[in-house]
Amino acid sequence: MKLIVLSSRGLTAMALLSATVFGPTAVCAQQPVQFTARASRLSDAVVARDLARFDSLMRVATNARSVALVGLARDAYERNDDGALTSRLLTMSGSTRADSEAQRRRPELWALLDSVQQRPGLTAEARERAIALEVALLRAGSPLLGAPSCDQWEKTALSIATQLRSAPVPMPVKEPVPAPAPPAPRLAAPAVLHAVPSRVHFALDKSALAPASRRVLDALVDSLSHYNGVRMELEGHTDPRGSAAYNAALSQRRVIAVQDYLMGKGLDGSRFSTTALGKSKLELQSTDIASHARNRRVIFRFFDAQGREIPTVGQLDDLQLEHRR
């Protein structure tokens, strides 16, 4: 199984599956889910029936961590696990913490993961990375799940841990005490731009806006129309493939495409500044398709009249994966 980074929508620290596992049986939510013992998996029909039961667990999942752990359990089953590892993973999917056996390899990274998950105001991006770190550690600690190279999964875990350590720790935002004032047609810049996206994404080697990206920008225009004094910086990026010169020009075209669209929707061009960084500032260092898609982006940074940056939310709804060749 290959983990694809999941959307930020619905990421919470809540456990989904109140799962108790007895041998090959997982009691999940309201009804027991039976899995065939390894010695009895003698036909495609039997295996297909078990995989369908994993799919049923996926369908009731409401947070990304539970989905990832149930996916790992399915992967263990498909790799002919005797049931013990599958049961452990299903149990973990119903808890907010890993079991002690999983933490024997790289305990300092498990400690980092625990501290990150307890941070107040954890961003959606940090939650995604925390899930990816837990998956990488579980694969690194299991010869079955880590094949063909547990060491490579450990390197992946170290890379994700570095990103988590370098991420700024969010500070709680104090709600300002409203002062009596007459109603105004537009509002001053807020402390946080709730539900305002911080980026759009692009297809491989493209600078044209996809329909999903246009919808993101439409929502952005609608949100900014309610506020005075919000200045916006557009920052263009590419994935790491290709020359520096080519990617610098491509990131510039992407920034211009976003700027032209926003101005066409009525936003004042004097509120924008732009910069094109090509491949010099990657969000993810991995070379898989999902990481490349995350790197092909234009980021929006917002500032109030005093030059203070206003936090926003990440979004992956318009992520554009290239076709496998």
Side-chain angles (χ1 to χ4, degrees):
M1 183 188 101
K2 182 174 181 179
L3 176 69
I4 300 298
V5 177
L6 297 163
S7 168
S8 60
R9 291 180 299 178
L11 295 179
T12 69
M14 294 171 52
L16 163 72
L17 305 174
S18 299
T20 307
V21 180
F22 303 94
T25 302
V27 179
C28 169
Q30 298 180 352
Q31 60 182 1
V33 180
Q34 300 286 339
F35 296 100
T36 307
R38 182 168 62 184
S40 301
R41 300 171 197 165
L42 303 178
S43 70
D44 290 343
V46 169
V47 173
R49 185 173 64 245
D50 281 347
L51 294 181
R53 288 163 181 160
F54 280 107
D55 291 340
S56 71
L57 297 183
M58 291 280 197
R59 284 193 292 272
V60 299
T62 58
N63 69 76
R65 179 179 178 272
S66 293
V67 171
L69 291 174
V70 173
L72 278 180
R74 175 185 173 126
D75 195 19
Y77 174 93
E78 291 186 285
R79 296 186 184 207
N80 211 25
D81 172 46
D82 63 4
L85 178 58
T86 300
S87 296
R88 279 178 50 220
L89 291 167
L90 290 175
T91 300
M92 286 171 58
S93 71
S95 170
T96 58
R97 301 175 65 89
D99 62 15
S100 57
E101 183 175 348
Q103 299 182 39
R104 292 177 182 173
R105 183 162 181 163
R106 303 309 298 245
E108 76 282 5
L109 297 187
W110 284 104
L112 170 66
L113 178 63
D114 187 55
S115 69
V116 168
Q117 291 172 334
Q118 296 183 43
R119 288 178 186 172
L122 194 63
T123 65
E125 184 175 0
R127 289 184 191 279
E128 291 175 12
R129 287 178 176 168
I131 294 168
L133 175 58
E134 185 170 8
V135 169
L137 286 171
L138 287 169
R139 287 189 179 276
S142 166
L144 182 68
L145 289 174
S149 174
C150 289
D151 289 341
Q152 187 59 47
W153 280 106
E154 185 170 328
K155 291 178 182 178
T156 299
L158 287 168
S159 175
I160 298 170
T162 298
Q163 297 171 6
L164 282 171
R165 289 191 184 101
S166 63
V169 177
M171 300 298 292
V173 177
K174 294 183 179 179
E175 292 294 333
V177 178
R186 287 161 64 89
L187 304 174
V192 177
L193 288 171
H194 293 289
V196 175
S198 65
R199 66 198 62 203
V200 289
H201 300 87
F202 293 81
L204 176 64
D205 291 333
K206 303 296 183 183
S207 59
L209 291 165
S213 300
R214 294 193 198 99
R215 289 192 291 272
V216 172
L217 294 177
D218 289 342
L220 172 63
V221 170
D222 181 68
S223 297
L224 291 185
S225 66
H226 300 292
Y227 299 110
N228 278 322
V230 176
R231 185 174 62 81
M232 184 175 179
E233 180 176 300
L234 305 178
E235 187 177 279
H237 300 271
T238 69
D239 69 34
R241 295 169 291 182
S243 69
Y246 172 82
N247 282 302
L250 178 58
S251 65
Q252 180 66 35
R253 293 195 297 274
R254 288 172 175 169
V255 166
I256 292 173
V258 171
Q259 179 180 257
D260 288 349
Y261 188 88
L262 294 176
M263 291 176 63
K265 291 292 182 175
L267 288 187
D268 185 356
S270 65
R271 299 174 72 176
F272 303 133
S273 63
T274 63
T275 182
L277 297 179
K279 62 178 181 178
S280 65
K281 195 174 180 181
L282 301 177
E283 180 177 12
L284 298 176
Q285 298 293 329
S286 302
T287 58
D288 56 278
I289 288 175
S291 297
H292 285 327
R294 290 280 295 274
N295 285 323
R296 297 191 297 268
R297 69 205 189 279
V298 167
I299 291 177
F300 320 136
R301 301 189 188 281
F302 303 92
F303 301 85
D304 64 15
Q306 287 72 44
R308 295 173 299 213
E309 185 164 3
I310 307 171
T312 58
V313 297
Q315 71 84 26
L316 300 175
D317 294 345
D318 68 331
L319 200 66
Q320 298 175 65
L321 300 177
E322 64 200 87
H323 296 297
R324 296 180 183 273
R325 297 177 179 175

